[in-house]
Amino acid sequence: MVRSAVRLGGGLQSTLAKAVVAYRRNGIAGLQRGVALVRAAQTGNPNGVPAAGGAAERHDYAEWVRRYDLLNDEQRAQLRARQELFAAQPLISVVMPTYNPNPAWLVEVIESVRQQIYPHWELCIADDCSTDAAIRPILERYQREDSRIKVAFREQNGHISAASNSALALATGDWIALLDHDDVLSEQALFRVAEAINEVADVRVIYSDEDKIDADGQRFGAYFKPDWNRPLFYSQNMISHLGAYHTALVREVGGFQLGMEGSQDYDLALRCIERIEDHQIHHIARVLYHWRVHGDSTAMSGDAKPYAQLAGERALNAHFSRRGVDASVQLVQGGYRVRYALPAQLPLVSLIIPTRNGLDLLRTCVQSILARTTYPHYEILIVDNGSDDPATLEWLAGVQHDQRVRVLRDDRPFNYSALNNGAVRHARGEVLGLLNNDLEVITPDWLDEMVSHALQPGIGAVGARLWYPDNTLQHAGVIVGLGGVAGHAHIRMLRHHYGYFGRACLLSAFSAVTAACLVIRKSIYEEVGGLNEVELEVAFNDVDFCLRVRELGYTNVLTPYAELYHYESATRGLDDTAEKSARFGREVRYMMQRWAPLLQHDPAYSPNLSLQHGDFSLAWPPRRPD
């Protein structure tokens, strides 16, 4: 990709100069768009994208399924041969409650289990006293024909949690997989679960990607999930389908809880993760489950079962209560919002703003913080890097009359990393906020929100949702590898949109967030050694910083509930000289060498999604192993 970009850009010097201009004007977003334009100009079809190559074609899921998801006889034989070599051959109990399903769909779901490539399974069905006379004969026939199928006929209707427990009582397997009575399993579903059990040490919970299936059997609406992402899981049940659990763990937590009907699987997952470590939760980046869409299913609409959403809210609040976490959860559009309580003694937050001239932008930024921010305990450190505009200097002198503001003069050659690191040494706060000088506060409680997450155990950098002045999205998380090094998710998304399965409007972990607005505990900043002021003076220092924070075991979080405008107008001029272009090239090469594995598999993204576009379009081909 880099070689082709250089060739089409008119050579190395010209290409680097153009890249620097794009980066300085519009940050990572500008660089990402430039790469996309270069890719669009290329001849040939190296990534296998459908010939037309437009947005519709990039999202052509039916064609993607045909190319990368369907198995032929040779591939089936290969999987069966691999299965025979598994050191562990766990029995997987597929647990399925049922009540008055469409008879044709009931047959289809049972057949999808019988057609599994992996042979060591049992299907445990509990009929919750169905009133449709067609159901019992179907279940009895299958029970006679296949000894692996067990059926319990409940004498009284008890709803889905009770029925699920009845099915669970039939299970004798090492693992349990949850299945609804109108859905369909991929033929390789249980093979992939067994494969993960063999490959992932000490795994206790497994989940996969999923899609939807309509009445005609057409698949659509695939959800390609990230690897385990606790903040996102608290926003939506991302385990969902296909969820598989170590049987001993399910029995340890007492199975399904009565009173949580509609979100009984969410509640089960929440109680299970309380007993295990995050590394024991494994994601299979394949569509193993097809969720049936019909009028009464939550696959059709989240409003189809409003009681289910309310049950999920109760399950989350109960989870935090059991953990002793002072938090409250409320139902919001697209999922749930977790609000963590701030401590009675609020920590001082040091907001660091590097600047040079650009009075109009800087004044708007600082005044919006002072006038609108509801969090009361903060200081602003303005790092003046060589301002020579008389009006700017006069304003800087006057703004310090506000006791919350200090100005630090730092006249060294521009080095964004060094400017911030130097200011941190003067910061009095327990919490740091790195801010660009071209922001404007939208939500007055932005700092309350960001600090509340930054103070949680295990949380590293916290990013905000940033908007361009035209109300299109500038930042809602950084995808590592997008556009070559890193790019912004959902770039230029319209404000009323929710993003890919809500990821632009829900709390979520990302591998990196932009330092245009980043909050982190000072102790973590110092533990990681601050921004890299040697190899990354200007570009990608925030991405590298976040990845090093993540490397230490912390989780970086994007909260969409802290919102600011980001004007992204460079105040230092364009870095289009030969010297600065060469530096930018070195920074790109450093990132590609330092973070090579993550550039191909960002755990907060999916190998089934594109690294050429920030719109969560499909990867052609996916970057997953066979």
Side-chain angles (χ1 to χ4, degrees):
M1 182 178 70
V2 173
R3 285 195 298 270
S4 61
V6 168
R7 185 178 67 252
L8 291 169
L12 179 61
Q13 180 66 36
S14 174
T15 300
L16 288 174
K18 293 173 183 176
V20 169
V21 170
Y23 184 83
R24 291 296 297 143
R25 281 179 175 159
N26 293 298
I28 291 176
L31 181 61
Q32 178 186 337
R33 289 195 294 274
V35 171
L37 290 173
V38 170
R39 300 294 292 174
Q42 287 182 281
T43 58
N45 194 19
N47 292 312
V49 180
E57 289 77 16
R58 297 200 312 271
H59 290 276
D60 187 349
Y61 183 56
E63 176 62 17
W64 191 93
V65 166
R66 187 188 70 79
R67 293 194 192 193
Y68 308 122
D69 193 68
L70 299 181
L71 298 178
N72 57 37
D73 288 342
E74 180 182 357
Q75 291 168 320
R76 292 185 186 96
Q78 290 172 349
L79 295 185
R80 290 190 178 99
R82 284 167 55 182
Q83 174 263 315
E84 292 177 357
L85 299 176
F86 288 165
Q89 301 279 345
L91 177 64
I92 301 173
S93 299
V94 181
V95 171
M96 188 179 82
T98 186
Y99 175 74
N100 285 345
N102 179 313
W105 294 345
L106 178 61
V107 170
E108 187 175 356
V109 67
I110 293 174
E111 287 296 335
S112 78
V113 178
R114 298 185 75 193
Q115 293 165 13
Q116 288 297 301
I117 289 170
Y118 184 76
H120 305 302
W121 55 265
E122 62 180 6
L123 176 57
C124 304
I125 305 173
D127 180 69
D128 197 23
C129 205
S130 290
T131 58
D132 185 344
I135 302 306
R136 188 176 186 115
I138 293 172
L139 297 177
E140 290 177 333
R141 174 171 62 84
Y142 274 113
Q143 192 175 23
R144 289 192 305 269
E145 292 178 357
D146 195 325
S147 62
R148 297 172 295 180
I149 298 177
K150 305 176 179 180
V151 184
F153 292 99
R154 290 173 50 83
E155 296 182 356
Q156 183 177 359
N157 180 269
H159 213 329
I160 192 167
S161 293
S164 296
N165 282 332
S166 295
L168 182 61
L170 300 174
T172 61
D174 309 288
W175 280 75
I176 288 166
L178 306 185
L179 180 61
D180 289 346
H181 66 188
D182 46 10
D183 297 338
V184 178
L185 283 185
S186 160
E187 63 180 316
Q188 58 180 313
L190 300 185
F191 168 85
R192 296 297 177 184
V193 171
E195 180 181 50
I197 293 167
N198 277 270
E199 292 181 352
V200 183
D202 201 24
V203 65
R204 303 297 300 279
V205 174
I206 297 169
Y207 68 98
S208 77
D209 297 341
E210 60 189 84
D211 65 11
K212 298 180 179 66
I213 187 169
D214 65 17
D216 298 321
Q218 298 299 310
R219 292 170 52 187
F220 66 100
Y223 185 6
F224 292 118
K225 306 171 187 176
D227 290 345
W228 177 240
N229 188 318
R230 186 178 286 265
L232 181 59
F233 179 65
Y234 287 156
S235 303
Q236 58 177 219
N237 181 10
M238 57 172 281
I239 290 179
S240 194
H241 305 133
L242 173 69
Y245 301 80
H246 197 218
T247 303
L249 177 63
V250 175
R251 300 207 188 284
E252 181 183 340
V253 302
F256 296 90
Q257 188 171 343
L258 302 184
M260 289 298 178
E261 286 77 12
S263 284
Q264 72 286 339
D265 53 345
Y266 200 3
D267 173 72
L268 176 69
L270 285 162
R271 287 183 287 118
C272 283
I273 68 171
E274 293 168 15
R275 308 292 183 99
I276 63 178
E277 302 295 327
D278 283 0
H279 73 269
Q280 297 177 289
I281 305 170
H282 178 70
H283 168 227
I284 301 172
R286 292 177 182 273
V287 176
L288 302 183
Y289 195 104
H290 313 305
W291 194 3
R292 180 80 64 179
V293 170
H294 56 85
D296 294 326
S297 74
T298 50
M300 173 66 80
S301 168
D303 296 329
K305 297 181 180 179
Y307 72 90
Q309 282 74 29
L310 294 174
E313 182 182 287
R314 293 199 309 275
L316 283 161
N317 279 309
H319 167 76
F320 286 113
S321 177
R322 287 190 299 269
R323 291 182 57 215
V325 176
D326 191 358
S328 61
V329 180
Q330 65 182 115
L331 185 63
V332 296
Q333 186 71 36
Y336 302 94
R337 178 180 180 181
V338 181
R339 293 178 182 266
Y340 293 100
L342 287 165
Q345 185 67 39
L346 294 177
L348 177 66
V349 181
S350 298
L351 302 176
I352 298 171
I353 307 175
T355 191
R356 181 180 187 274
N357 297 326
L359 175 57
D360 289 343
L361 290 171
L362 177 63
R363 181 168 48 202
T364 297
C365 176
V366 173
Q367 288 182 347
S368 76
I369 294 171
L370 295 173
R372 300 174 192 166
T373 300
T374 56
Y375 188 91
H377 199 34
Y378 65 89
E379 64 172 358
I380 298 176
L381 303 183
I382 300 174
V383 185
D384 178 20
N385 184 222
S387 291
D388 53 12
D389 170 54
T392 301
L393 294 173
E394 180 181 359
W395 183 84
L396 288 172
V399 76
Q400 294 182 83
H401 293 146
D402 190 311
Q403 294 183 350
R404 295 169 291 180
V405 181
R406 286 187 284 152
V407 176
L408 307 175
R409 183 78 179 188
D410 190 334
D411 288 335
R412 78 180 93 181
F414 178 68
N415 179 323
Y416 179 84
S417 298
L419 291 175
N420 281 283
N421 290 344
V424 167
R425 289 189 282 272
H426 295 273
R428 299 168 183 155
E430 176 186 338
V431 177
L432 303 174
L434 307 187
L435 304 181
N436 273 23
N437 67 349
D438 52 359
L439 298 172
E440 182 178 0
V441 171
I442 298 174
T443 53
D445 63 347
W446 68 281
L447 194 52
D448 306 76
E449 171 70 13
M450 297 181 77
V451 172
S452 73
H453 291 290
L455 295 180
Q456 296 308 305
I459 297 300
V462 179
R465 187 161 61 162
L466 306 180
W467 297 94
Y468 289 113
D470 64 359
N471 284 311
T472 60
L473 188 64
Q474 191 269 334
H475 172 264
V478 172
I479 298 169
V480 179
L482 184 61
V485 176
H488 289 183
H490 298 109
I491 189 74
R492 288 290 181 183
M493 185 191 77
L494 298 177
R495 187 148 195 164
H496 62 279
H497 290 176
Y498 297 110
Y500 184 75
F501 288 87
R503 287 206 64 184
C505 69
L506 297 174
L507 188 72
S508 178
F510 279 88
S511 293
V513 294
T514 180
C517 184
L518 182 156
V519 169
I520 191 168
R521 279 173 278 161
K522 186 178 182 181
S523 60
I524 300 176
Y525 191 97
E526 293 173 336
E527 181 183 3
V528 81
L531 300 178
N532 184 341
E533 57 188 77
V534 177
E535 284 89 5
L536 299 172
E537 298 178 26
V538 178
F540 306 117
N541 36 53
D542 49 359
V543 177
D544 171 80
F545 173 79
C546 287
L547 295 183
R548 287 186 286 118
V549 169
R550 180 184 174 277
E551 202 170 44
L552 289 177
Y554 297 101
T555 297
N556 300 317
V557 174
L558 183 283
T559 173
Y561 308 112
E563 298 184 278
L564 301 92
Y565 284 117
H566 188 191
Y567 293 98
E568 265 203 335
S569 296
T571 60
R572 298 196 58 85
L574 299 178
D575 291 351
D576 53 0
T577 66
E579 178 185 351
K580 293 175 181 178
S581 296
R583 180 197 62 216
F584 184 80
R586 290 194 301 271
E587 291 170 337
V588 169
R589 288 191 295 273
Y590 174 83
M591 290 294 294
M592 289 185 166
Q593 292 167 4
R594 175 67 173 85
W595 301 109
L598 280 176
L599 298 186
Q600 287 301 307
H601 185 188
D602 182 343
Y605 193 51
S606 170
N608 295 303
L609 298 175
S610 173
L611 287 179
Q612 278 72 53
H613 306 277
D615 59 357
F616 288 73
S617 53
L618 299 167
W620 303 79
R623 300 175 302 283
R624 66 192 184 205
D626 291 334

